[in-house]
Amino acid sequence: MASVEADGSKTTSRTSCHVVAMPYPGRGHINPMMNLCKLLASRSSGSDDEGDIVITFVVTEEWLGFIGSDPMPANLRLRSIPNVIPSEKGRANNFAGFVEAVMTKVEGPFEELLDQLETPPTAMITDNYLTWAVAVGNRRNIPVASLCTNSPSVFSVIYHLDLLVQNGHFPVDLSVPEKGGECISYIPGIPSICLADLPRGFNNPTNQELEPVKKISSSIVKAECLLLNSFYELDTQAIDALRAILPFPVYPIGPSIPHMTLKDATTDSDDDYIKWLDSQSLGSVLYVSLGSFLSVSSAQMDEIAAGLHDSGVPYLWVARQDNSDLQKACGDKGLVIPWCNQLRVLCHSSLGGFWTHCGWNSTLEAVFAGVPILTFPIVWDQIPNSKLIADDLRIGWRMKKEVGRDKIVKREEIARTVQSFMYSNEEESKEMRRRARELQDACRKAIEKGGSSETNLDAFVRDILQHHP
Ligand code: UDP
């Protein structure tokens, strides 16, 4: 049986599987795909019945620049295709244009790259937002596993978008504010949810950038299986509902976060922000981060800076713009930095809370770390994630009750909420912290040997190896 080496050459030894992984070009999609691929790469145990897995991970040139120097296992190699748009900045400034380009300009270069590979792929793992990728695999007779980097609940909403459209609930038009309070319970696996908590885009009500999402349900059914970046115990109802509907295996394999690198990181505490965290008292610090690429208005940034300052709570704030001005506004209680190793920060013993935009990776990282959450969603899945955190999982509070870039939360409210979130000893707060620890425990069990995610990953590996021609 031919096998594929990391450099693409062939040897004739054991059963081998060459997986091509294609994430959507964004941090919140690349991170979980990369973590999954590293786990898969580590499954090449060397035993004859498991065989080897070699992975080709495809990113745009720009992303190759960002992640090219990260440590990689020998059987995982990076390959690049031309950039979708000139720079990542363009992504936030023209989101609809970026999404359109990902949907229309990536397929061609990706196919060319497939043609150039030294050994043909035996399986593909592609982000479920790349709806064209399943068709590419089907045409070439390569089985495709679709990876969903949103929560299972959000995937269920997206999968049932036709129901929402039929009922006039997508796109959500909240120009009449009372409409937001109307609740629906017809989406399989989703407990009653208000229209205000459904995913929505920036340009309510047109949501032009959401058009491609409508293709996900028709493309996904032609995939071989669905991989979910979550664990069964976290979103059981939605996962059960998806398993009942979809015509193929559904594997929750998450959280797909770099928890295996945490041990190495703690031996190296050179970063100034880690030293700063080391100097703070146990559970006292609020970590603030509103995601890797979107930002709030400058008026909202000013309110956040003033509110944090007035709260008197120590905080670490990742803000990618205007750091020096923000640092001045924050005084000596807070530290403002452009980027950090987020999982490491969340797992630091000084951490007491996480103010987040509710990106799904950030949510999972908080669950893994057992840190309670202040929710501040900006757009799309962050909105239902906020509801999941606050109402269903009960591991957080809503900082932002009304969603929309133009809705400003004022400094007084921020200071008040931050203070009681961090310091309150009321029953409600104790219960929130207890729930966060309980979920952390469930999360760690899921990824341990014999846990639900670990078992699902094993089953998936067996499946892709079985498909080996
Ligand atoms: N992240 C990080 N350092 C930072 C900010 C973000 O490592 O300073 C990582 C974070 O750990 C997460 C990802 O970037 O894995 C962001 O993904 P998420 O889904 O939370 O949000 P997005 O940025 O995609 O909206």
Side-chain angles (χ1 to χ4, degrees):
M1 181 73 66
S3 98
V4 190
E5 298 300 307
D7 64 1
S9 62
K10 281 185 193 175
T11 62
T12 47
S13 57
R14 308 160 344 145
T15 302
S16 174
C17 175
H18 179 197
V19 177
V20 170
M22 177 74 217
Y24 178 97
R27 174 65 68 182
H29 299 256
I30 291 176
N31 281 7
M33 181 72 90
M34 177 56 82
N35 295 322
L36 168 64
C37 287
K38 284 184 174 170
L39 267 185
L40 288 177
S42 71
R43 295 283 158 140
S44 296
S45 66
S47 75
D48 275 342
D49 44 334
E50 277 209 338
D52 287 331
I53 299 176
V54 170
I55 298 163
T56 301
F57 196 95
V58 184
V59 285
T60 57
E61 276 156 17
E62 183 177 33
W63 278 99
L64 187 65
F66 294 144
I67 65 172
S69 56
D70 292 353
M72 299 284 161
N75 52 344
L76 196 164
R77 60 188 176 165
L78 297 175
R79 294 291 292 263
S80 69
I81 53 173
N83 287 337
V84 178
I85 49 166
S87 87
E88 202 217 353
K89 274 210 179 88
R91 183 178 169 210
N93 297 342
N94 175 12
F95 194 57
F98 177 80
V99 173
E100 167 78 16
V102 174
M103 293 306 158
T104 55
K105 293 192 182 149
V106 182
E107 181 174 355
F110 177 67
E111 287 224 58
E112 278 166 34
L113 188 136
L114 289 182
D115 290 334
Q116 287 159 14
L117 291 173
E118 298 83 355
T119 44
T122 53
M124 281 166 42
I125 307 178
T126 60
D127 191 290
N128 74 147
Y129 280 92
L130 304 178
T131 47
W132 45 264
V134 180
V136 170
N138 290 169
R139 280 201 297 278
R140 291 168 176 254
N141 213 10
I142 308 167
V144 180
S146 193
L147 172 67
C148 172
T149 54
N150 294 145
S151 75
S153 288
V154 167
F155 182 83
S156 187
V157 172
I158 293 172
Y159 186 76
H160 294 99
L161 224 47
D162 53 341
L163 284 179
L164 288 168
V165 172
Q166 276 161 30
N167 286 286
H169 295 148
F170 186 86
V172 194
D173 178 3
L174 298 181
S175 48
V176 182
E178 300 78 63
K179 226 173 145 46
E182 186 184 329
C183 292
I184 57 166
S185 47
Y186 54 75
I187 304 173
I190 310 296
S192 175
I193 185 166
C194 295
L195 297 186
D197 289 326
L198 285 173
R200 62 178 186 270
F202 291 121
N203 305 314
N204 185 40
T206 53
N207 288 319
Q208 188 199 342
E209 73 269 24
L210 303 183
E211 277 305 304
V213 176
K214 292 184 181 164
K215 293 191 189 140
I216 291 182
S217 49
S218 55
S219 78
I220 199 90
V221 289
K222 295 182 188 125
E224 207 66 31
C225 65
L226 176 66
L227 297 167
L228 292 168
N229 182 20
S230 186
F231 56 100
Y232 181 70
E233 294 76 7
L234 188 70
D235 210 353
T236 309
Q237 261 182 289
I239 294 167
D240 283 345
L242 289 170
R243 282 184 165 154
I245 292 163
L246 291 169
F248 46 57
V250 174
Y251 299 117
I253 48 83
S256 189
I257 57 177
H259 54 85
M260 49 290 183
T261 63
L262 277 173
K263 257 196 232 117
D264 308 338
T266 46
T267 54
D268 147 38
S269 46
D270 282 337
D271 293 312
D272 285 346
Y273 62 88
I274 295 291
K275 287 189 191 133
W276 183 84
L277 283 173
D278 289 343
S279 71
Q280 305 297 316
S281 37
L282 200 70
S284 66
V285 175
L286 178 69
Y287 168 60
V288 185
S289 171
L290 301 179
S292 65
F293 80 105
L294 293 172
S295 49
V296 296
S297 65
S298 60
Q300 182 65 80
M301 288 294 267
D302 291 346
E303 295 302 313
I304 295 176
L308 284 171
H309 175 271
D310 296 349
S311 74
V313 167
Y315 58 93
L316 176 66
W317 185 3
V318 167
R320 281 159 297 119
Q321 70 278 55
D322 305 334
N323 272 328
S324 55
D325 284 352
L326 280 181
Q327 184 64 67
K328 263 187 238 141
C330 290
D332 58 3
K333 268 285 183 189
L335 182 65
V336 186
I337 51 173
W339 189 254
C340 70
N341 178 336
Q342 180 165 295
L343 189 60
R344 196 171 163 210
V345 165
L346 287 169
C347 291
H348 195 284
S349 57
S350 295
L351 247 274
F354 181 18
W355 176 345
T356 170
H357 72 309
C358 307
W360 185 238
N361 295 285
S362 295
T363 306
L364 288 172
E365 288 161 14
V367 168
F368 176 84
V371 174
I373 297 171
L374 267 180
T375 73
F376 199 88
I378 302 170
V379 74
W380 193 231
D381 67 318
Q382 299 155 16
I383 301 163
N385 292 347
S386 163
K387 186 250 180 195
L388 182 80
I389 292 164
D391 301 356
D392 304 334
L393 301 176
R394 290 173 286 114
I395 55 167
W397 294 356
R398 295 184 199 235
M399 167 64 90
K400 192 171 191 183
K401 288 164 191 97
E402 283 182 290
V403 180
R405 265 184 170 172
D406 48 334
K407 304 279 186 318
I408 306 267
V409 185
K410 296 285 188 200
R411 61 191 69 194
E412 296 77 19
E413 190 180 345
I414 291 174
R416 229 182 9 254
T417 310
V418 164
Q419 259 178 10
S420 61
F421 177 74
M422 293 298 286
Y423 296 144
S424 164
N425 245 337
E426 304 265 312
E427 218 29 65
E428 190 195 358
S429 296
K430 284 196 206 150
E431 175 62 11
M432 172 178 69
R433 289 188 210 119
R434 194 191 61 72
R435 287 275 309 150
R437 282 194 302 273
E438 200 174 272
L439 270 185
Q440 175 188 37
D441 194 44
C443 178
R444 301 222 173 187
K445 285 202 173 103
I447 52 181
E448 273 170 15
K449 188 113 204 84
S452 59
S453 289
E454 224 263 345
T455 309
N456 284 326
L457 192 67
D458 271 347
F460 170 63
V461 169
R462 274 197 307 276
D463 261 15
I464 53 171
L465 287 174
Q466 265 170 18
H467 270 103
H468 182 264

